Amino acid sequence: MNFIKLYIRFIVVFLKSKMEYRFSFFMDLFTNVFTYSLLFVSIWVILNKFQHIQGWGFYEVMFLYNLNLFTYAISGMFIKHPMLDLEKMVQNGDFDSVLIKPIDPLYHIVVRQFEYTFFGHILLSIVVFCISVPKIGIPLNSFNILWFALFIIGGVLIHSSIMIISGSMSFWFVKSTSILEMGIYDIRSFLNYPISIYQNSIQIFLTFVLPFAFVNFYPAQFFLQKEGNDLFHPLLQFGTPIVGIITIFIAYYIWSVGVNNYQSTGS
Amino acid sequence: MNIITVNNLTKSYLVQKREQGIKGTFQSLFNRKHEKITAVSNINFQIEKGEIVGYLGPNGAGKSTTIKMLSGILSPTNGNIDVNGLSPFSNRKEHSLNIGVVFGQRTQLWWDIPVSESLNLMRHMYKIPKSDYLKRLEVFNEFLDLNQFINVPVRQLSLGQRMRADLCAALLHQPEVLFLDEPTIGLDVVVKDNIRTFIQQINENLNTTVILTTHDMSDIEKLCNRVIVIDQGSKVYDGTVKELKKTYGSEELIIVETENKIKDYNYLFSPGILYVEQQNNTLFITYNKSKISSSVILKILMNKEEILDFTIKETEIDEVIRRMYIKSLNPISAGGAMNE
């Protein structure tokens, strides 16, 4: 597995370079855990007041939210910052040097860095899983664990695809980071609550256009069978892994078209 | 054997046309007009294995665009490129193993980590066996003095050190072809010389083909036997440096110091003498080498004056290139300057 070996080498070097600035290294980690803990507090405050949202209690919303946070953190750790940096690389022509190396350009820009700050999210979401799963009473049998793993993989692929697609926009548009930010922060914030509470148009959008709903809503329905579990079609509960694979292929295709469209800069 | 063959190479871009003023800005928001700009147009050349070729031209002539197409970064709009049997853009990955690229303006090394770590990553990327890697590093060190800064993070290197490290990184995998885009830009004389010697050595020992763009004419004089000059995207010259000088640089300057100041030097003017300037006891005579020789001029002078000293200056290659650029910009005026 040359692929993974090379990745580890890159990451070790990257972490070494980050440790040059030790203070900011730990500060980053801390801020991330802190901000996301606040988010859980805000959900708790809202649910404390209303008891439940359309039949979803506090721990169930926590579980739902956590599916999103966990998969987002894993793909963010690898994909998010390379995609954010891509805009600058395309603008100043640094992307040139990626294209003259004997490794795949996407793989190359991904291995060059590694967002360790997402360890904060991951740690937090593992804790939240440990609290919420027993409270909801999901039986820990091998069938459930297998599906859970598939949902996580699918969710990671969906998040990664959306990051790659919006990052690829840098090849066509000058200010594409705003698209990425919108995809990641603004639209994703719909996922804080079950999508069955939203209007029909938002549900369609999150299921068929930007399939974020497959990251958490449909998988959560698989385990919880809450109100709205027949949204569009009951089979969608199993859709996450397939949707993940389809989106990652689309994302890689768009990326490749973008790379071929790359025009470099003067000088 | 040709290692590089370029046929009818053309690259054009669509550039958005911007209107001036506020009205124009609004107009371009809704109704965008595009303009086609041809950076490289219909270029042909062949390069043999082991050649060092200078690729020259004024700013914006299309040099970098050509280099980027040759290295597989950009796709040609039209025409074919063959480098060592591969088409650079469509076989990018295999092609990258055959080439080394150095951009003088930016580094390919990691900014925050020591040079040695960067080079080591390169080793893994190109899958170079460790023993070869160490051997090559030793050779590079001999010429480039890498050990002096190998453990320093790239951001702390001087420009000269960074350039040397970049060269080393581009050559670790022993590519067949080396592309250098302004390799000596902004460097001091000693480092420039250092780098030139190194490139020469690599070329001699490994028979590496080198293509370099530069604005420094001493790079050309010291390294290249052949130059290709392009201007506004088209090839305007392809041949030896010597030939180039003969065609465009037949003027020479002879500087003569006499014992007494010459009061009237009009008798000097004869066919081939272009202009004469005088500063105290020194005469600066510019003449056309193909029409009159320096010895004839000296003979005429010696009959009348006491000569203390003289020097002959060949036209510098950058003067030659400058004339070529001007000529292609404005053929009439430049033509006038050339033939009196």
Side-chain angles (χ1 to χ4, degrees):
Chain A
M1 287 257 62
N2 231 321
F3 205 64
I4 292 168
K5 256 197 215 153
L6 189 61
Y7 188 85
I8 293 167
R9 283 187 210 289
F10 268 97
I11 294 317
V12 168
V13 168
F14 177 76
L15 285 181
K16 267 189 206 165
S17 77
K18 280 291 162 192
M19 289 305 276
E20 294 250 313
Y21 313 95
R22 206 159 307 193
F23 177 71
S24 89
F25 182 92
F26 288 111
M27 233 11 235
D28 284 352
L29 264 180
F30 172 75
T31 12
N32 270 295
V33 174
F34 186 72
T35 42
Y36 276 87
S37 304
L38 276 182
L39 236 153
F40 278 108
V41 172
S42 76
I43 294 175
W44 179 77
V45 166
I46 289 174
L47 282 161
N48 214 20
K49 199 154 183 201
F50 297 103
Q51 296 308 319
H52 51 73
I53 300 173
Q54 279 201 359
W56 295 62
F58 174 58
Y59 290 106
E60 286 154 349
V61 174
M62 236 171 127
F63 178 73
L64 176 89
Y65 183 78
N66 211 30
L67 276 171
N68 172 26
L69 180 65
F70 187 61
T71 49
Y72 164 70
I74 292 175
S75 53
M77 194 155 73
F78 301 107
I79 313 278
K80 188 183 160 197
H81 282 257
M83 288 303 147
L84 283 174
D85 290 351
L86 187 65
E87 178 182 357
K88 216 169 51 201
M89 290 182 82
V90 167
Q91 271 171 30
N92 63 20
D94 279 343
F95 195 69
D96 287 4
S97 65
V98 173
L99 292 177
I100 50 174
K101 296 281 150 50
I103 52 180
D104 183 80
L106 181 59
Y107 176 65
H108 188 171
I109 70 163
V110 168
V111 298
R112 275 159 68 123
Q113 52 184 316
F114 166 79
E115 206 41 39
Y116 54 88
T117 52
F118 281 105
F119 275 134
H121 303 58
I122 291 176
L123 214 75
L124 183 68
S125 53
I126 289 173
V127 170
V128 173
F129 273 132
C130 291
I131 297 169
S132 59
V133 170
K135 288 271 185 190
I136 304 165
I138 300 170
L140 284 174
N141 54 35
S142 50
F143 179 75
N144 275 347
I145 289 172
L146 178 75
W147 271 106
F148 182 76
L150 284 175
F151 289 147
I152 294 298
I153 293 168
V156 169
L157 289 177
I158 293 169
H159 273 303
S160 306
S161 309
I162 289 167
M163 287 177 196
I164 291 170
I165 292 171
S166 36
S168 302
M169 294 302 128
S170 314
F171 292 116
W172 289 279
F173 308 109
V174 183
K175 283 270 167 236
S176 65
T177 342
S178 45
I179 300 177
L180 190 62
E181 300 275 330
M182 190 177 79
I184 291 179
Y185 294 107
D186 301 349
I187 299 177
R188 206 173 59 98
S189 63
F190 279 117
L191 303 187
N192 294 1
Y193 302 101
I195 67 161
S196 48
I197 66 171
Y198 300 120
Q199 282 180 353
N200 201 258
S201 55
I202 294 174
Q203 292 168 350
I204 292 174
F205 182 77
L206 291 174
T207 305
F208 300 108
V209 183
L210 218 56
F212 270 134
F214 287 98
V215 167
N216 69 349
F217 179 73
Y218 293 110
Q221 285 293 10
F222 174 88
F223 294 111
L224 305 176
Q225 298 299 328
K226 286 283 162 190
E227 202 174 306
N229 68 358
D230 54 351
L231 184 67
F232 300 119
H233 196 284
L235 268 182
L236 292 183
Q237 291 169 25
F238 307 94
T240 305
I242 296 163
V243 172
I245 290 168
I246 294 171
T247 51
I248 200 79
F249 272 107
I250 295 174
Y252 190 77
Y253 176 75
I254 293 177
W255 160 269
S256 307
V257 174
V259 170
N260 287 339
N261 199 51
Y262 174 65
Q263 293 293 1
S264 191
T265 50
S267 96
Chain B
M1 192 192 84
N2 289 333
I3 192 161
I4 299 176
T5 310
V6 171
N7 281 327
N8 304 323
L9 184 64
T10 300
K11 177 78 190 175
S12 43
Y13 299 97
L14 277 182
V15 178
Q16 197 185 316
K17 213 169 149 181
R18 287 184 200 281
E19 310 279 333
Q20 278 188 334
I22 295 172
K23 202 178 151 207
T25 310
F26 273 105
Q27 263 176 2
S28 65
L29 252 179
F30 302 106
N31 181 18
R32 290 194 169 173
K33 284 184 192 139
H34 291 277
E35 207 176 0
K36 203 165 125 183
I37 289 182
T38 307
V40 171
S41 114
N42 222 5
I43 285 185
N44 293 287
F45 59 80
Q46 278 99 36
I47 290 172
E48 273 185 41
K49 185 155 177 50
E51 273 192 284
I52 303 186
V53 178
Y55 199 64
L56 310 179
N59 287 327
K63 297 185 302 279
S64 292
T65 307
T66 316
I67 295 283
K68 280 174 187 168
M69 284 191 281
L70 287 171
S71 50
I73 294 167
L74 293 179
S75 66
T77 312
N78 248 318
N80 301 309
I81 306 174
D82 182 303
V83 180
N84 208 16
L86 295 171
S87 153
F89 189 74
S90 31
N91 306 317
R92 202 185 272 141
K93 215 164 158 181
E94 298 94 313
H95 178 64
S96 68
L97 294 169
N98 289 332
I99 60 163
V101 187
V102 175
F103 298 111
Q105 312 263 32
R106 58 177 87 100
T107 180
Q108 300 189 52
L109 304 164
W110 279 254
W111 202 240
D112 284 326
I113 59 174
V115 179
S116 54
E117 302 261 17
S118 266
L119 294 178
N120 201 31
L121 277 179
M122 295 280 182
R123 167 166 92 83
H124 292 291
M125 242 195 261
Y126 287 94
K127 298 191 184 117
I128 305 165
K130 189 153 192 183
S131 56
D132 288 1
Y133 170 75
L134 292 175
K135 237 181 278 164
R136 286 169 202 175
L137 265 192
E138 213 171 290
V139 176
F140 293 162
N141 184 39
E142 220 172 280
F143 290 99
L144 300 175
D145 209 4
L146 293 175
N147 284 348
Q148 185 199 332
F149 54 85
I150 199 144
N151 291 318
V152 180
V154 174
R155 69 184 134 85
Q156 289 170 14
L157 296 184
S158 71
L159 189 57
Q161 291 171 328
R162 209 214 72 205
M163 200 59 221
R164 283 184 272 169
D166 254 314
L167 253 180
C168 177
L171 286 164
L172 263 185
H173 57 290
Q174 295 202 333
E176 294 276 338
V177 185
L178 178 63
F179 297 110
L180 302 169
D181 198 0
E182 305 190 21
T184 55
I185 193 164
L187 302 182
D188 69 52
V189 190
V190 181
V191 179
K192 271 185 188 175
D193 214 54
N194 216 311
I195 283 178
R196 282 176 201 141
T197 321
F198 178 65
I199 294 170
Q200 241 162 3
Q201 284 298 323
I202 291 288
N203 171 258
E204 273 167 32
N205 297 342
L206 301 168
N207 204 21
T208 309
T209 313
V210 182
I211 297 177
L212 76 147
T213 75
T214 184
H215 287 292
D216 185 334
M217 292 309 148
S218 28
D219 284 350
I220 300 295
E221 297 209 69
K222 296 207 170 113
L223 285 173
C224 310
N225 24 36
R226 176 178 166 199
V227 288
I228 296 173
V229 183
I230 65 165
D231 190 29
Q232 294 177 9
S234 301
K235 190 167 89 172
V236 291
Y237 180 82
D238 184 352
T240 59
V241 178
K242 231 188 215 166
E243 197 70 30
L244 179 75
K245 277 189 175 179
K246 213 157 74 190
T247 322
Y248 290 90
S250 47
E251 286 173 24
E252 266 183 1
L253 173 71
I254 183 166
I255 304 166
V256 186
E257 206 183 319
T258 50
E259 200 171 54
N260 306 307
K261 187 171 175 174
I262 303 171
K263 282 186 190 114
D264 182 24
Y265 49 79
N266 273 332
Y267 63 87
L268 270 174
F269 279 102
S270 56
I273 302 282
L274 302 178
Y275 26 87
V276 182
E277 262 177 85
Q278 191 180 35
Q279 272 174 21
N280 297 328
N281 292 356
T282 316
L283 279 178
F284 297 81
I285 307 165
T286 312
Y287 59 98
N288 190 330
K289 201 163 62 174
S290 53
K291 288 186 183 152
I292 187 167
S293 71
S294 53
S295 60
V296 173
I297 300 174
L298 281 174
K299 215 178 272 167
I300 299 172
L301 264 174
M302 266 194 281
N303 285 337
K304 303 219 171 189
E305 321 284 339
E306 199 65 31
I307 292 179
L308 293 180
D309 196 7
F310 72 91
T311 40
I312 298 172
K313 277 201 170 159
E314 259 189 89
T315 321
E316 301 265 322
I317 184 106
D318 48 355
E319 181 61 24
V320 173
I321 302 284
R322 199 178 63 83
R323 277 185 208 142
M324 257 171 108
Y325 294 165
I326 294 171
K327 201 176 166 195
S328 60
L329 275 179
N330 192 350
I332 302 158
S333 72
M338 275 210 43
N339 319 312
E340 284 98 62

